[in-house]
Amino acid sequence: MASSVIERLRQDRAAHLEELSAFLKIPSISSISEHKEDIRAAAEWLKQAFLQAKMEKVEIIETKKHPIVYAEWLDAGPEAKTILIYGHYDVQPVDPLHLWETEPFEPTVRDGKLYARGASDDKGQVFMHLKAVQTMLEVEGTLPFNVKFLIEGEEEIGSPNLDEFVANEKERLAADVLLISDTTMLEAGKPAICSGLRGIAALEIRVKGAKGDLHSGLYGGAVQNALHALVQLLASMRDENGKITIDGFYEGIEIPSAEEMESIKALGSGEEALKEELGVNELFGEKGYTARERTWIRPTLELNGVYGGFQGEGVKTVIPAEATAKITCRLVPGQDPIDILEKIEAHIQAHTPPGVTVTTERHDTGKPFVAPVTDPVFAACARAYEEVYQTEVAYTRMGGSIPVVETFDSQLHIPIVLMGFGLPSENFHAPNEHFHLENFDKGMETIVAFWNQYANR
Amino acid sequence: MASSVIERLRQDRAAHLEELSAFLKIPSISSISEHKEDIRAAAEWLKQAFLQAKMEKVEIIETKKHPIVYAEWLDAGPEAKTILIYGHYDVQPVDPLHLWETEPFEPTVRDGKLYARGASDDKGQVFMHLKAVQTMLEVEGTLPFNVKFLIEGEEEIGSPNLDEFVANEKERLAADVLLISDTTMLEAGKPAICSGLRGIAALEIRVKGAKGDLHSGLYGGAVQNALHALVQLLASMRDENGKITIDGFYEGIEIPSAEEMESIKALGSGEEALKEELGVNELFGEKGYTARERTWIRPTLELNGVYGGFQGEGVKTVIPAEATAKITCRLVPGQDPIDILEKIEAHIQAHTPPGVTVTTERHDTGKPFVAPVTDPVFAACARAYEEVYQTEVAYTRMGGSIPVVETFDSQLHIPIVLMGFGLPSENFHAPNEHFHLENFDKGMETIVAFWNQYANR
């Protein structure tokens, strides 16, 4: 009976939060080499948690970098549905640390929210699926479906080794549906199924001028300043209307159906609330689109980091010899990340200012994704949400990227349901990341309801 | 007899280098608060050195920040000439530290050059005057002139307290001539008297966007990126021909005399050698001027530091909420630093991109300077150089700024002789600063010769 499962989930809430805190305390930052052992510790923590949940096969699978944790329970038999759950146990870096109100790896509950790096993205949401399965098994002694967990440690660095794993392990991963909880609800109280994700393409740009830093008095005026050249190059990539000026950047973009455009408009602009949330007087972006359209169905080119020269207190009269920029583009259906990187590289070639050399390094890439929302699994999911949240579920797109979604889509050919329980305001990737415990609670109930619906009970 | 002084200088060379090394070992970086005690230690070291040189009045004079060291010997009497010597014992920061071949505060001699932060700018050159006086006094028992030393600890941060000191202590500083060795020769073997310095005006620009860093997927496209706004703002300050586009920036600039322009041209372009020295394929700067003209008689606006967002290894998909730029302008006669700062601030006001707020903080300012080269003291100095270096001295301008020169000029109304012994290639303000010992040796002999000439012996 689902209701006894729900009851048990409510009874165990305090114990669950304690367990989740232990998971969140591990600083499993995948992009920083010195956290390699923490990544390993998080994988080990998950392995033990899956064993405790009575999963029948639990493995830490090595990759070229950070391991995958795999777990399965297949006793429902070949006739039953098989649910594959994907998530990630790695987290983003935490700087600037001074902006955190409490330590990023010391989970703290304040005002019904759990603050910690990874609370929402994605350890918290992985943990919900894990505990939902464990509780069902403990209460009912069995499951009406087979379940497989694939939890990776490289999502925040673009999942460099997962593509290969998925391509090689199609049999192991065979399932009827893939569930991922790494997206957000529309807003508090309004659940959403995400029907589309933007792709990503990341590039690092390094400008080199003179062979060393120079005195800005003795040499100022004679020689190109690497920082100035970089600034000029970066400025050439966007016009004052927010349009990206890389040649061919918008080429081939697929326009969403009139129906989807209507449903996006029906959600309202939300721009006043967004300004309030972000603390700005004015939003800004590609002219001719609303903020929602700009984040859901239009591509971007963002500067994630720029640095060169003196950063200390006061003045240093130096002409920097080197300057660096890190940029990422978010891509929409019709755009290909490698093609976009090539176009940016061509732009850099054509616009390199005199007196410097520019080199580039490609980082993460991921293709955009659109979900097959007419498949019945989406209706089952929507009913579960509506049962628990007592409101209609929205079909949204998300501006973020989960590059592996496109991999799963093209390799496994099964419906992918993006059922996220985060809120857009929860500071993913930023200081003070948190997770609303209301959605931790309701989320687990929704997951249980969905599984039961889907398994035809 | 000057020749016995010279002999003694040559005998004492090793001891002098050892003493100078002790001075250079003190990391007296004036711009970084944690070096406050090192600044104090360098002042104390100088005080002891002046006492040992038999100066009759030696004082450490407190200011609001770093102290001034003052020393005098006035036994030549009121009829004799009085020489005032200015220099500084503070040094520039040393980052990026990894580019130094040997530690910046572990003086090392390689290939006839002394490597250390401050070796040339300006501890080494202050030390030369100190030892020249000491040696003359020791060898001859007296001096044919009165001498006053004013050595400050705030030159590298724009001498914020020296103006007030000079204005209040005109009597103490009364002299017939002011000597400063903090400029460069034209090149190896070619001494120069510097007849002009550029002024300086420094500004820090801070851009603030949303109230915190944001996920570049979820928010990318909706909101202004502080780094992108800063890049756009900075790019608007210079055109592709290297012209500064701040409204009125070039207004009122005094064109040097036809004679001086001729003599600048006569020195040759030196551009091939400069490209070689700097390791660039191409020089760059304001169109229509040679590199020498651009550094000597034209103003600049340089980016000394720009930073915001993620600087670590790999990728962080963040929209930075803050971005900072540090800029300095070098100014030429006819430009006023406060007026230039106001013009830049007005430009920023007029060009602030939507969706961000920009604040500015003014740092150092210093007016440009031109020397009265027809005064006989310049001829005496030129003869001394020619005697020791066996070549004609060049009258040059310097692109750098010594803001106090303008203060001395307007307060003391005495000729200022800028007789520097550094070479343009000696990496002032950069990693691997060094000083050619040839000019350490010949420089002290030139100083002694000049003093004797000037005192009419």
Side-chain angles (χ1 to χ4, degrees):
Chain A
M1 279 272 302
S3 65
S4 9
V5 174
I6 302 302
E7 228 163 80
R8 176 67 173 277
L9 280 172
R10 289 175 187 175
Q11 280 167 16
D12 289 350
R13 186 182 190 253
H16 285 164
L17 280 180
E18 202 165 313
E19 274 186 75
L20 174 55
S21 289
F23 190 24
L24 292 170
K25 278 185 179 174
I26 307 169
S28 49
I29 303 170
S30 50
S31 65
I32 300 178
S33 333
E34 67 199 38
H35 286 285
K36 198 169 187 303
E37 288 312 307
D38 298 315
I39 280 278
R40 171 87 29 194
E44 195 55 48
W45 187 96
L46 261 184
K47 181 182 168 183
Q48 295 308 322
F50 280 124
L51 287 171
Q52 197 194 332
K54 300 283 187 296
M55 295 293 98
E56 288 177 337
K57 188 173 169 189
V58 182
E59 270 187 81
I60 291 183
I61 301 167
E62 299 304 324
T63 73
K64 283 177 200 139
K65 197 155 187 177
H66 303 312
I68 289 163
V69 181
Y70 178 82
E72 67 179 29
W73 186 96
L74 305 180
D75 286 1
E79 300 306 308
K81 300 268 199 206
T82 297
I83 297 172
L84 173 62
I85 295 161
Y86 164 84
H88 62 93
Y89 67 85
D90 64 323
V91 299
Q92 280 277 321
V94 296
D95 58 300
L97 195 57
H98 71 277
L99 296 181
W100 286 79
E101 282 174 33
T102 49
E103 293 295 314
F105 297 109
E106 284 299 333
T108 310
V109 174
R110 289 197 298 280
D111 294 336
K113 299 164 215 161
L114 175 61
Y115 285 81
R117 171 59 86 229
S120 180
D121 177 16
D122 184 41
K123 283 174 171 172
Q125 301 198 56
V126 165
F127 183 84
M128 288 160 68
H129 285 274
L130 165 62
K131 287 296 147 182
V133 162
Q134 181 173 354
T135 306
M136 281 178 88
L137 259 176
E138 283 175 11
V139 171
E140 307 188 342
T142 186
L143 299 174
F145 51 84
N146 301 304
V147 65
K148 300 174 177 180
F149 283 91
L150 168 58
I151 313 298
E152 72 152 322
E154 303 188 327
E155 198 272 345
E156 299 294 4
I157 54 170
S159 306
N161 295 301
L162 199 74
D163 281 22
E164 193 184 329
F165 177 79
V166 173
N168 291 338
E169 300 277 351
K170 282 185 208 168
E171 207 167 319
R172 183 207 289 255
L173 301 176
D176 296 291
V177 66
L178 170 61
L179 306 189
I180 303 180
S181 293
D182 195 21
T183 50
T184 67
M185 299 175 32
L186 185 64
E187 56 188 62
K190 297 206 183 162
I193 294 172
C194 179
S195 66
L197 293 168
R198 290 195 288 190
I200 191 167
L203 195 71
E204 189 159 332
I205 304 172
R206 297 194 196 94
V207 174
K208 182 95 183 66
K211 68 183 176 192
D213 285 355
L214 299 173
H215 187 297
S216 75
L218 300 183
Y219 295 96
V223 64
Q224 181 65 276
N225 177 318
L227 258 178
H228 225 137
L230 177 63
V231 155
Q232 188 179 328
L233 184 58
L234 295 174
S236 76
M237 295 181 183
R238 194 181 79 170
D239 72 13
E240 59 188 25
N241 293 320
K243 273 249 183 305
I244 303 308
T245 51
I246 307 289
D247 212 27
F249 187 76
Y250 296 100
E251 221 170 75
I253 287 179
E254 293 161 16
I255 309 297
S257 67
E259 195 189 344
E260 186 173 0
M261 288 302 285
E262 268 315 298
S263 85
I264 292 175
K265 286 215 189 306
L267 292 171
S269 94
E271 297 200 348
E272 285 311 311
L274 186 61
K275 282 197 270 185
E276 177 75 18
E277 177 196 337
L278 305 183
V280 296
N281 294 325
E282 189 174 1
L283 298 171
F284 178 79
E286 190 188 357
K287 210 172 172 173
Y289 296 90
T290 65
R292 203 190 295 285
E293 288 165 350
R294 295 197 304 261
T295 49
W296 286 9
I297 60 162
R298 298 298 296 172
T300 64
L301 183 153
E302 294 284 356
L303 307 180
N304 308 120
V306 171
Y307 51 99
F310 184 62
Q311 304 194 10
E313 182 190 342
V315 173
K316 187 180 179 197
T317 50
V318 72
I319 302 175
E322 292 174 9
T324 304
K326 289 169 184 274
I327 69 177
T328 48
C329 294
R330 297 289 171 166
L331 308 177
V332 296
Q335 289 182 304
D336 175 77
I338 297 299
D339 175 65
I340 289 293
L341 290 179
E342 282 168 0
K343 283 170 174 163
I344 300 171
E345 288 158 359
H347 179 95
I348 291 169
Q349 283 275 329
H351 292 80
T352 294
V356 292
T357 52
V358 180
T359 54
T360 56
E361 183 184 351
R362 295 181 185 183
H363 290 298
D364 312 1
T365 56
K367 292 184 185 171
F369 164 77
V370 185
V373 291
T374 51
D375 189 286
V377 69
F378 288 91
C381 183
R383 276 195 306 275
Y385 267 119
E386 284 157 20
E387 204 176 295
V388 175
Y389 280 88
Q390 296 289 311
T391 183
E392 207 178 335
V393 73
Y395 284 88
T396 61
R397 291 209 187 186
M398 196 182 83
S401 312
I402 312 177
V404 293
V405 170
E406 199 279 330
T407 302
F408 287 125
D409 193 34
S410 60
Q411 296 284 343
L412 302 182
H413 306 293
I414 54 175
I416 300 173
V417 180
L418 300 172
M419 50 183 313
F421 299 98
L423 290 180
S425 58
E426 289 178 336
N427 295 337
F428 318 131
H429 295 207
N432 304 310
E433 178 178 348
H434 57 277
F435 191 24
H436 283 67
L437 292 177
E438 179 194 352
N439 297 319
F440 178 75
D441 300 331
K442 287 191 176 163
M444 280 198 277
E445 296 182 16
T446 304
I447 288 169
V448 170
F450 172 34
W451 288 344
N452 280 321
Q453 297 248 11
Y454 184 60
N456 287 318
R457 298 219 310 182
Chain B
M1 279 273 299
S3 64
S4 10
V5 174
I6 301 303
E7 229 163 76
R8 176 67 173 277
L9 280 173
R10 290 174 187 175
Q11 281 167 16
D12 289 349
R13 184 181 193 253
H16 285 164
L17 280 181
E18 203 165 313
E19 274 186 75
L20 174 55
S21 289
F23 190 23
L24 292 171
K25 279 184 180 174
I26 306 169
S28 49
I29 302 170
S30 50
S31 66
I32 299 177
S33 334
E34 67 199 39
H35 286 285
K36 198 170 187 300
E37 288 311 307
D38 298 315
I39 279 278
R40 172 86 30 193
E44 195 57 46
W45 187 96
L46 261 183
K47 180 184 169 182
Q48 295 307 322
F50 279 124
L51 287 170
Q52 196 194 332
K54 300 283 188 297
M55 294 294 98
E56 288 179 336
K57 187 173 169 189
V58 182
E59 270 185 81
I60 291 183
I61 301 167
E62 298 304 326
T63 75
K64 283 178 201 138
K65 196 156 187 178
H66 303 311
I68 290 163
V69 181
Y70 178 81
E72 67 179 29
W73 184 97
L74 305 180
D75 286 0
E79 301 306 309
K81 301 268 200 204
T82 298
I83 297 172
L84 173 62
I85 294 160
Y86 164 84
H88 63 94
Y89 66 85
D90 64 324
V91 299
Q92 280 276 322
V94 294
D95 58 301
L97 195 59
H98 71 277
L99 295 180
W100 286 79
E101 283 174 33
T102 50
E103 292 295 313
F105 298 110
E106 283 300 332
T108 311
V109 174
R110 289 198 299 278
D111 297 334
K113 298 165 216 163
L114 176 60
Y115 285 82
R117 171 60 84 228
S120 179
D121 176 17
D122 182 42
K123 283 174 171 171
Q125 301 198 58
V126 164
F127 183 86
M128 289 161 67
H129 285 274
L130 164 63
K131 287 297 148 180
V133 162
Q134 181 173 353
T135 306
M136 280 180 86
L137 259 175
E138 283 176 11
V139 171
E140 305 189 344
T142 186
L143 298 174
F145 51 84
N146 302 303
V147 65
K148 299 173 177 181
F149 283 91
L150 169 58
I151 313 297
E152 72 153 322
E154 303 187 326
E155 198 271 345
E156 299 293 6
I157 55 169
S159 305
N161 294 302
L162 200 72
D163 280 22
E164 192 185 328
F165 178 80
V166 173
N168 291 338
E169 299 278 349
K170 284 184 204 165
E171 208 166 318
R172 184 207 289 257
L173 301 176
D176 296 290
V177 66
L178 171 60
L179 306 189
I180 303 178
S181 293
D182 194 21
T183 50
T184 67
M185 298 175 33
L186 185 63
E187 56 187 62
K190 297 208 181 158
I193 294 171
C194 178
S195 66
L197 293 168
R198 290 195 288 190
I200 191 167
L203 195 70
E204 188 159 334
I205 304 172
R206 296 192 197 97
V207 175
K208 182 94 182 63
K211 67 182 176 191
D213 286 355
L214 299 173
H215 187 297
S216 75
L218 300 184
Y219 296 95
V223 63
Q224 181 65 275
N225 177 319
L227 258 177
H228 224 137
L230 177 63
V231 155
Q232 188 179 328
L233 183 58
L234 295 174
S236 76
M237 295 181 182
R238 195 180 79 169
D239 73 13
E240 59 189 25
N241 293 319
K243 275 251 184 301
I244 304 307
T245 50
I246 307 289
D247 210 29
F249 187 77
Y250 296 101
E251 221 169 75
I253 287 179
E254 293 160 17
I255 310 298
S257 66
E259 196 187 345
E260 184 173 1
M261 287 303 284
E262 268 316 299
S263 84
I264 291 174
K265 287 216 186 309
L267 293 171
S269 95
E271 296 200 349
E272 286 309 312
L274 186 60
K275 283 197 269 184
E276 177 77 19
E277 178 196 335
L278 305 184
V280 294
N281 295 325
E282 190 174 0
L283 298 170
F284 178 79
E286 190 188 356
K287 209 171 173 174
Y289 296 90
T290 65
R292 202 189 296 284
E293 288 165 351
R294 296 197 305 261
T295 48
W296 285 9
I297 60 162
R298 298 297 297 171
T300 64
L301 182 155
E302 294 283 357
L303 307 181
N304 307 120
V306 171
Y307 51 99
F310 183 62
Q311 304 193 9
E313 182 190 342
V315 172
K316 187 179 178 197
T317 50
V318 72
I319 301 176
E322 292 176 9
T324 304
K326 290 169 182 273
I327 68 176
T328 48
C329 295
R330 298 289 172 166
L331 308 176
V332 297
Q335 288 181 305
D336 175 76
I338 297 299
D339 175 64
I340 288 292
L341 289 179
E342 283 168 359
K343 284 171 173 162
I344 299 172
E345 288 157 357
H347 180 95
I348 290 170
Q349 282 274 327
H351 290 80
T352 294
V356 292
T357 52
V358 180
T359 54
T360 56
E361 185 184 350
R362 295 181 184 184
H363 289 301
D364 311 1
T365 57
K367 292 184 184 172
F369 164 78
V370 185
V373 291
T374 51
D375 189 286
V377 69
F378 288 91
C381 183
R383 276 196 304 276
Y385 267 120
E386 284 158 19
E387 206 175 294
V388 175
Y389 280 89
Q390 297 288 311
T391 182
E392 206 178 334
V393 74
Y395 284 89
T396 62
R397 291 208 186 186
M398 195 181 82
S401 312
I402 313 178
V404 294
V405 170
E406 200 280 331
T407 302
F408 287 126
D409 193 34
S410 60
Q411 296 284 343
L412 302 182
H413 306 292
I414 54 175
I416 300 173
V417 181
L418 299 172
M419 50 183 313
F421 299 99
L423 290 180
S425 58
E426 287 177 338
N427 296 337
F428 317 132
H429 295 205
N432 303 310
E433 177 178 346
H434 57 275
F435 191 24
H436 283 69
L437 292 178
E438 179 193 352
N439 297 320
F440 178 76
D441 300 332
K442 286 191 176 163
M444 279 199 278
E445 296 182 15
T446 304
I447 289 168
V448 169
F450 172 34
W451 287 345
N452 280 322
Q453 295 248 13
Y454 184 60
N456 286 318
R457 297 221 305 184

